[in-house]
PDB file of all heavy atoms in Angstrom:
ATOM      1  N   SER A   1     -14.624 -12.037  47.095  1.00  0.00           N
ATOM      2  CA  SER A   1     -14.562 -12.401  48.520  1.00  0.00           C
ATOM      3  C   SER A   1     -13.284 -11.849  49.157  1.00  0.00           C
ATOM      4  O   SER A   1     -12.175 -12.296  48.830  1.00  0.00           O
ATOM      5  CB  SER A   1     -14.620 -13.924  48.681  1.00  0.00           C
ATOM      6  OG  SER A   1     -14.355 -14.297  50.011  1.00  0.00           O
ATOM      7  N   LYS A   2     -13.454 -10.918  50.070  1.00  0.00           N
ATOM      8  CA  LYS A   2     -12.305 -10.356  50.780  1.00  0.00           C
ATOM      9  C   LYS A   2     -11.659 -11.399  51.684  1.00  0.00           C
ATOM     10  O   LYS A   2     -10.426 -11.450  51.825  1.00  0.00           O
ATOM     11  CB  LYS A   2     -12.742  -9.144  51.594  1.00  0.00           C
ATOM     12  CG  LYS A   2     -11.579  -8.409  52.267  1.00  0.00           C
ATOM     13  CD  LYS A   2     -12.058  -7.148  52.965  1.00  0.00           C
ATOM     14  CE  LYS A   2     -10.872  -6.388  53.556  1.00  0.00           C
ATOM     15  NZ  LYS A   2     -11.306  -5.134  54.239  1.00  0.00           N
ATOM     16  N   LYS A   3     -12.494 -12.244  52.279  1.00  0.00           N
ATOM     17  CA  LYS A   3     -11.979 -13.275  53.187  1.00  0.00           C
ATOM     18  C   LYS A   3     -11.046 -14.227  52.444  1.00  0.00           C
ATOM     19  O   LYS A   3      -9.983 -14.612  52.960  1.00  0.00           O
ATOM     20  CB  LYS A   3     -13.143 -14.048  53.800  1.00  0.00           C
ATOM     21  CG  LYS A   3     -12.720 -15.060  54.857  1.00  0.00           C
ATOM     22  CD  LYS A   3     -13.940 -15.733  55.474  1.00  0.00           C
ATOM     23  CE  LYS A   3     -13.500 -16.753  56.538  1.00  0.00           C
ATOM     24  NZ  LYS A   3     -14.664 -17.425  57.163  1.00  0.00           N
ATOM     25  N   LEU A   4     -11.436 -14.614  51.203  1.00  0.00           N
ATOM     26  CA  LEU A   4     -10.589 -15.491  50.402  1.00  0.00           C
ATOM     27  C   LEU A   4      -9.259 -14.817  50.097  1.00  0.00           C
ATOM     28  O   LEU A   4      -8.189 -15.435  50.219  1.00  0.00           O
ATOM     29  CB  LEU A   4     -11.302 -15.859  49.098  1.00  0.00           C
ATOM     30  CG  LEU A   4     -10.471 -16.619  48.055  1.00  0.00           C
ATOM     31  CD1 LEU A   4     -10.003 -17.960  48.601  1.00  0.00           C
ATOM     32  CD2 LEU A   4     -11.265 -16.818  46.770  1.00  0.00           C
ATOM     33  N   ALA A   5      -9.287 -13.532  49.709  1.00  0.00           N
ATOM     34  CA  ALA A   5      -8.061 -12.807  49.382  1.00  0.00           C
ATOM     35  C   ALA A   5      -7.155 -12.683  50.606  1.00  0.00           C
ATOM     36  O   ALA A   5      -5.925 -12.838  50.507  1.00  0.00           O
ATOM     37  CB  ALA A   5      -8.413 -11.423  48.840  1.00  0.00           C
ATOM     38  N   GLU A   6      -7.745 -12.412  51.784  1.00  0.00           N
ATOM     39  CA  GLU A   6      -6.954 -12.296  53.018  1.00  0.00           C
ATOM     40  C   GLU A   6      -6.307 -13.636  53.381  1.00  0.00           C
ATOM     41  O   GLU A   6      -5.165 -13.674  53.879  1.00  0.00           O
ATOM     42  CB  GLU A   6      -7.843 -11.818  54.161  1.00  0.00           C
ATOM     43  CG  GLU A   6      -8.254 -10.356  54.033  1.00  0.00           C
ATOM     44  CD  GLU A   6      -9.241  -9.936  55.104  1.00  0.00           C
ATOM     45  OE1 GLU A   6      -9.958 -10.810  55.648  1.00  0.00           O
ATOM     46  OE2 GLU A   6      -9.303  -8.726  55.386  1.00  0.00           O
ATOM     47  N   THR A   7      -7.012 -14.728  53.115  1.00  0.00           N
ATOM     48  CA  THR A   7      -6.460 -16.062  53.390  1.00  0.00           C
ATOM     49  C   THR A   7      -5.219 -16.309  52.545  1.00  0.00           C
ATOM     50  O   THR A   7      -4.204 -16.846  53.030  1.00  0.00           O
ATOM     51  CB  THR A   7      -7.517 -17.149  53.098  1.00  0.00           C
ATOM     52  OG1 THR A   7      -8.652 -16.918  53.935  1.00  0.00           O
ATOM     53  CG2 THR A   7      -6.964 -18.536  53.355  1.00  0.00           C
ATOM     54  N   VAL A   8      -5.278 -15.910  51.271  1.00  0.00           N
ATOM     55  CA  VAL A   8      -4.130 -16.084  50.366  1.00  0.00           C
ATOM     56  C   VAL A   8      -2.958 -15.231  50.844  1.00  0.00           C
ATOM     57  O   VAL A   8      -1.801 -15.684  50.851  1.00  0.00           O
ATOM     58  CB  VAL A   8      -4.515 -15.725  48.918  1.00  0.00           C
ATOM     59  CG1 VAL A   8      -3.297 -15.785  47.996  1.00  0.00           C
ATOM     60  CG2 VAL A   8      -5.604 -16.658  48.399  1.00  0.00           C
ATOM     61  N   VAL A   9      -3.225 -13.987  51.260  1.00  0.00           N
ATOM     62  CA  VAL A   9      -2.165 -13.097  51.756  1.00  0.00           C
ATOM     63  C   VAL A   9      -1.450 -13.728  52.944  1.00  0.00           C
ATOM     64  O   VAL A   9      -0.205 -13.760  53.014  1.00  0.00           O
ATOM     65  CB  VAL A   9      -2.747 -11.719  52.141  1.00  0.00           C
ATOM     66  CG1 VAL A   9      -1.714 -10.893  52.915  1.00  0.00           C
ATOM     67  CG2 VAL A   9      -3.197 -10.965  50.905  1.00  0.00           C
ATOM     68  N   ASN A  10      -2.207 -14.237  53.899  1.00  0.00           N
ATOM     69  CA  ASN A  10      -1.614 -14.834  55.098  1.00  0.00           C
ATOM     70  C   ASN A  10      -0.848 -16.107  54.772  1.00  0.00           C
ATOM     71  O   ASN A  10       0.177 -16.403  55.395  1.00  0.00           O
ATOM     72  CB  ASN A  10      -2.708 -15.138  56.132  1.00  0.00           C
ATOM     73  CG  ASN A  10      -3.371 -13.864  56.650  1.00  0.00           C
ATOM     74  OD1 ASN A  10      -2.729 -12.807  56.723  1.00  0.00           O
ATOM     75  ND2 ASN A  10      -4.647 -13.956  57.015  1.00  0.00           N
ATOM     76  N   ARG A  11      -1.341 -16.863  53.772  1.00  0.00           N
ATOM     77  CA  ARG A  11      -0.726 -18.137  53.440  1.00  0.00           C
ATOM     78  C   ARG A  11       0.635 -17.976  52.761  1.00  0.00           C
ATOM     79  O   ARG A  11       1.528 -18.810  52.934  1.00  0.00           O
ATOM     80  CB  ARG A  11      -1.672 -18.939  52.540  1.00  0.00           C
ATOM     81  CG  ARG A  11      -1.232 -20.396  52.359  1.00  0.00           C
ATOM     82  CD  ARG A  11      -2.264 -21.219  51.616  1.00  0.00           C
ATOM     83  NE  ARG A  11      -2.353 -20.825  50.215  1.00  0.00           N
ATOM     84  CZ  ARG A  11      -3.478 -20.569  49.582  1.00  0.00           C
ATOM     85  NH1 ARG A  11      -4.631 -20.628  50.218  1.00  0.00           N
ATOM     86  NH2 ARG A  11      -3.471 -20.248  48.308  1.00  0.00           N
ATOM     87  N   ILE A  12       0.829 -16.911  51.975  1.00  0.00           N
ATOM     88  CA  ILE A  12       2.073 -16.782  51.194  1.00  0.00           C
ATOM     89  C   ILE A  12       3.138 -15.955  51.895  1.00  0.00           C
ATOM     90  O   ILE A  12       4.327 -16.047  51.548  1.00  0.00           O
ATOM     91  CB  ILE A  12       1.780 -16.158  49.816  1.00  0.00           C
ATOM     92  CG1 ILE A  12       1.288 -14.711  49.959  1.00  0.00           C
ATOM     93  CG2 ILE A  12       0.794 -17.010  49.032  1.00  0.00           C
ATOM     94  CD1 ILE A  12       1.141 -13.973  48.653  1.00  0.00           C
ATOM     95  N   THR A  13       2.765 -15.126  52.860  1.00  0.00           N
ATOM     96  CA  THR A  13       3.735 -14.246  53.516  1.00  0.00           C
ATOM     97  C   THR A  13       4.827 -15.068  54.210  1.00  0.00           C
ATOM     98  O   THR A  13       4.545 -15.965  55.016  1.00  0.00           O
ATOM     99  CB  THR A  13       3.045 -13.338  54.540  1.00  0.00           C
ATOM    100  OG1 THR A  13       2.099 -12.507  53.859  1.00  0.00           O
ATOM    101  CG2 THR A  13       4.050 -12.451  55.264  1.00  0.00           C
ATOM    102  N   GLY A  14       6.090 -14.757  53.865  1.00  0.00           N
ATOM    103  CA  GLY A  14       7.243 -15.425  54.465  1.00  0.00           C
ATOM    104  C   GLY A  14       7.559 -16.778  53.878  1.00  0.00           C
ATOM    105  O   GLY A  14       8.494 -17.459  54.334  1.00  0.00           O
ATOM    106  N   GLN A  15       6.828 -17.195  52.825  1.00  0.00           N
ATOM    107  CA  GLN A  15       7.033 -18.521  52.242  1.00  0.00           C
ATOM    108  C   GLN A  15       7.950 -18.446  51.001  1.00  0.00           C
ATOM    109  O   GLN A  15       8.001 -17.429  50.309  1.00  0.00           O
ATOM    110  CB  GLN A  15       5.693 -19.126  51.840  1.00  0.00           C
ATOM    111  CG  GLN A  15       4.735 -19.344  53.000  1.00  0.00           C
ATOM    112  CD  GLN A  15       5.303 -20.296  54.033  1.00  0.00           C
ATOM    113  OE1 GLN A  15       5.810 -21.380  53.695  1.00  0.00           O
ATOM    114  NE2 GLN A  15       5.251 -19.884  55.305  1.00  0.00           N
ATOM    115  N   PRO A  16       8.664 -19.548  50.722  1.00  0.00           N
ATOM    116  CA  PRO A  16       9.496 -19.578  49.514  1.00  0.00           C
ATOM    117  C   PRO A  16       8.635 -19.765  48.273  1.00  0.00           C
ATOM    118  O   PRO A  16       7.526 -20.300  48.335  1.00  0.00           O
ATOM    119  CB  PRO A  16      10.390 -20.795  49.748  1.00  0.00           C
ATOM    120  CG  PRO A  16       9.576 -21.697  50.629  1.00  0.00           C
ATOM    121  CD  PRO A  16       8.785 -20.781  51.525  1.00  0.00           C
ATOM    122  N   GLY A  17       9.148 -19.320  47.152  1.00  0.00           N
ATOM    123  CA  GLY A  17       8.452 -19.467  45.878  1.00  0.00           C
ATOM    124  C   GLY A  17       9.352 -20.139  44.861  1.00  0.00           C
ATOM    125  O   GLY A  17      10.568 -19.890  44.815  1.00  0.00           O
ATOM    126  N   LEU A  18       8.773 -20.996  44.021  1.00  0.00           N
ATOM    127  CA  LEU A  18       9.529 -21.720  43.005  1.00  0.00           C
ATOM    128  C   LEU A  18       9.180 -21.172  41.624  1.00  0.00           C
ATOM    129  O   LEU A  18       8.003 -21.086  41.265  1.00  0.00           O
ATOM    130  CB  LEU A  18       9.201 -23.207  43.073  1.00  0.00           C
ATOM    131  CG  LEU A  18       9.864 -24.099  42.012  1.00  0.00           C
ATOM    132  CD1 LEU A  18      11.377 -24.151  42.237  1.00  0.00           C
ATOM    133  CD2 LEU A  18       9.268 -25.510  42.037  1.00  0.00           C
ATOM    134  N   ILE A  19      10.189 -20.805  40.856  1.00  0.00           N
ATOM    135  CA  ILE A  19       9.971 -20.316  39.483  1.00  0.00           C
ATOM    136  C   ILE A  19       9.623 -21.508  38.597  1.00  0.00           C
ATOM    137  O   ILE A  19      10.453 -22.389  38.378  1.00  0.00           O
ATOM    138  CB  ILE A  19      11.222 -19.590  38.938  1.00  0.00           C
ATOM    139  CG1 ILE A  19      11.663 -18.466  39.870  1.00  0.00           C
ATOM    140  CG2 ILE A  19      10.941 -19.055  37.523  1.00  0.00           C
ATOM    141  CD1 ILE A  19      10.643 -17.387  40.072  1.00  0.00           C
ATOM    142  N   THR A  20       8.392 -21.532  38.109  1.00  0.00           N
ATOM    143  CA  THR A  20       7.948 -22.649  37.264  1.00  0.00           C
ATOM    144  C   THR A  20       8.077 -22.345  35.773  1.00  0.00           C
ATOM    145  O   THR A  20       8.051 -23.250  34.947  1.00  0.00           O
ATOM    146  CB  THR A  20       6.481 -22.999  37.581  1.00  0.00           C
ATOM    147  OG1 THR A  20       5.670 -21.826  37.392  1.00  0.00           O
ATOM    148  CG2 THR A  20       6.349 -23.479  39.021  1.00  0.00           C
ATOM    149  N   ALA A  21       8.215 -21.066  35.429  1.00  0.00           N
ATOM    150  CA  ALA A  21       8.404 -20.672  34.023  1.00  0.00           C
ATOM    151  C   ALA A  21       8.959 -19.257  33.980  1.00  0.00           C
ATOM    152  O   ALA A  21       8.574 -18.402  34.786  1.00  0.00           O
ATOM    153  CB  ALA A  21       7.101 -20.753  33.254  1.00  0.00           C
ATOM    154  N   ALA A  22       9.876 -19.029  33.052  1.00  0.00           N
ATOM    155  CA  ALA A  22      10.446 -17.693  32.849  1.00  0.00           C
ATOM    156  C   ALA A  22      10.744 -17.539  31.362  1.00  0.00           C
ATOM    157  O   ALA A  22      11.605 -18.248  30.812  1.00  0.00           O
ATOM    158  CB  ALA A  22      11.717 -17.503  33.664  1.00  0.00           C
ATOM    159  N   THR A  23      10.005 -16.672  30.711  1.00  0.00           N
ATOM    160  CA  THR A  23      10.167 -16.493  29.267  1.00  0.00           C
ATOM    161  C   THR A  23      10.486 -15.050  28.919  1.00  0.00           C
ATOM    162  O   THR A  23      10.079 -14.120  29.618  1.00  0.00           O
ATOM    163  CB  THR A  23       8.879 -16.902  28.515  1.00  0.00           C
ATOM    164  OG1 THR A  23       7.794 -16.098  28.984  1.00  0.00           O
ATOM    165  CG2 THR A  23       8.567 -18.366  28.749  1.00  0.00           C
ATOM    166  N   LYS A  24      11.205 -14.892  27.845  1.00  0.00           N
ATOM    167  CA  LYS A  24      11.531 -13.561  27.312  1.00  0.00           C
ATOM    168  C   LYS A  24      11.467 -13.643  25.800  1.00  0.00           C
ATOM    169  O   LYS A  24      12.239 -14.367  25.173  1.00  0.00           O
ATOM    170  CB  LYS A  24      12.910 -13.087  27.768  1.00  0.00           C
ATOM    171  CG  LYS A  24      13.254 -11.698  27.256  1.00  0.00           C
ATOM    172  CD  LYS A  24      14.529 -11.153  27.880  1.00  0.00           C
ATOM    173  CE  LYS A  24      15.758 -11.858  27.382  1.00  0.00           C
ATOM    174  NZ  LYS A  24      17.007 -11.180  27.858  1.00  0.00           N
ATOM    175  N   LYS A  25      10.509 -12.913  25.220  1.00  0.00           N
ATOM    176  CA  LYS A  25      10.333 -12.935  23.772  1.00  0.00           C
ATOM    177  C   LYS A  25      10.656 -11.564  23.189  1.00  0.00           C
ATOM    178  O   LYS A  25      10.069 -10.559  23.583  1.00  0.00           O
ATOM    179  CB  LYS A  25       8.900 -13.331  23.420  1.00  0.00           C
ATOM    180  CG  LYS A  25       8.546 -14.759  23.810  1.00  0.00           C
ATOM    181  CD  LYS A  25       7.122 -15.115  23.393  1.00  0.00           C
ATOM    182  CE  LYS A  25       6.776 -16.552  23.777  1.00  0.00           C
ATOM    183  NZ  LYS A  25       5.388 -16.911  23.397  1.00  0.00           N
ATOM    184  N   ARG A  26      11.598 -11.543  22.265  1.00  0.00           N
ATOM    185  CA  ARG A  26      11.949 -10.299  21.568  1.00  0.00           C
ATOM    186  C   ARG A  26      10.908 -10.049  20.471  1.00  0.00           C
ATOM    187  O   ARG A  26      10.687 -10.887  19.610  1.00  0.00           O
ATOM    188  CB  ARG A  26      13.352 -10.411  20.966  1.00  0.00           C
ATOM    189  CG  ARG A  26      13.823  -9.212  20.153  1.00  0.00           C
ATOM    190  CD  ARG A  26      14.030  -7.972  21.009  1.00  0.00           C
ATOM    191  NE  ARG A  26      14.871  -8.191  22.156  1.00  0.00           N
ATOM    192  CZ  ARG A  26      16.224  -8.096  22.147  1.00  0.00           C
ATOM    193  NH1 ARG A  26      16.846  -7.776  21.031  1.00  0.00           N
ATOM    194  NH2 ARG A  26      16.931  -8.293  23.248  1.00  0.00           N
ATOM    195  N   LYS A  27      10.260  -8.901  20.527  1.00  0.00           N
ATOM    196  CA  LYS A  27       9.237  -8.547  19.556  1.00  0.00           C
ATOM    197  C   LYS A  27       9.526  -7.180  18.965  1.00  0.00           C
ATOM    198  O   LYS A  27      10.366  -6.431  19.489  1.00  0.00           O
ATOM    199  CB  LYS A  27       7.843  -8.552  20.210  1.00  0.00           C
ATOM    200  CG  LYS A  27       7.395  -9.908  20.703  1.00  0.00           C
ATOM    201  CD  LYS A  27       5.999  -9.845  21.293  1.00  0.00           C
ATOM    202  CE  LYS A  27       5.533 -11.208  21.787  1.00  0.00           C
ATOM    203  NZ  LYS A  27       4.155 -11.142  22.364  1.00  0.00           N
ATOM    204  N   GLN A  28       8.832  -6.866  17.904  1.00  0.00           N
ATOM    205  CA  GLN A  28       8.981  -5.540  17.308  1.00  0.00           C
ATOM    206  C   GLN A  28       7.663  -5.068  16.710  1.00  0.00           C
ATOM    207  O   GLN A  28       6.805  -5.868  16.353  1.00  0.00           O
ATOM    208  CB  GLN A  28      10.081  -5.518  16.256  1.00  0.00           C
ATOM    209  CG  GLN A  28       9.801  -6.331  15.012  1.00  0.00           C
ATOM    210  CD  GLN A  28      10.913  -6.181  13.982  1.00  0.00           C
ATOM    211  OE1 GLN A  28      12.051  -5.877  14.310  1.00  0.00           O
ATOM    212  NE2 GLN A  28      10.568  -6.380  12.726  1.00  0.00           N
TER     213      GLN A  28
END
């Protein structure tokens, strides 16, 4: 649904965001 995607774009533009998780895993 393009309409749904456009709604999300309009809703988040200019809004603050909260970091709920940030991980860094060292792998090899």
Side-chain angles (χ1 to χ4, degrees):
S1 171
K2 185 175 183 179
K3 185 177 180 180
L4 172 62
E6 288 175 336
T7 300
V8 175
V9 169
N10 295 329
R11 191 173 70 229
I12 65 173
T13 298
Q15 298 299 312
L18 177 67
I19 305 299
T20 57
T23 59
K24 181 171 71 172
K25 294 182 180 179
R26 177 67 52 87
K27 296 182 180 180
Q28 67 176 25

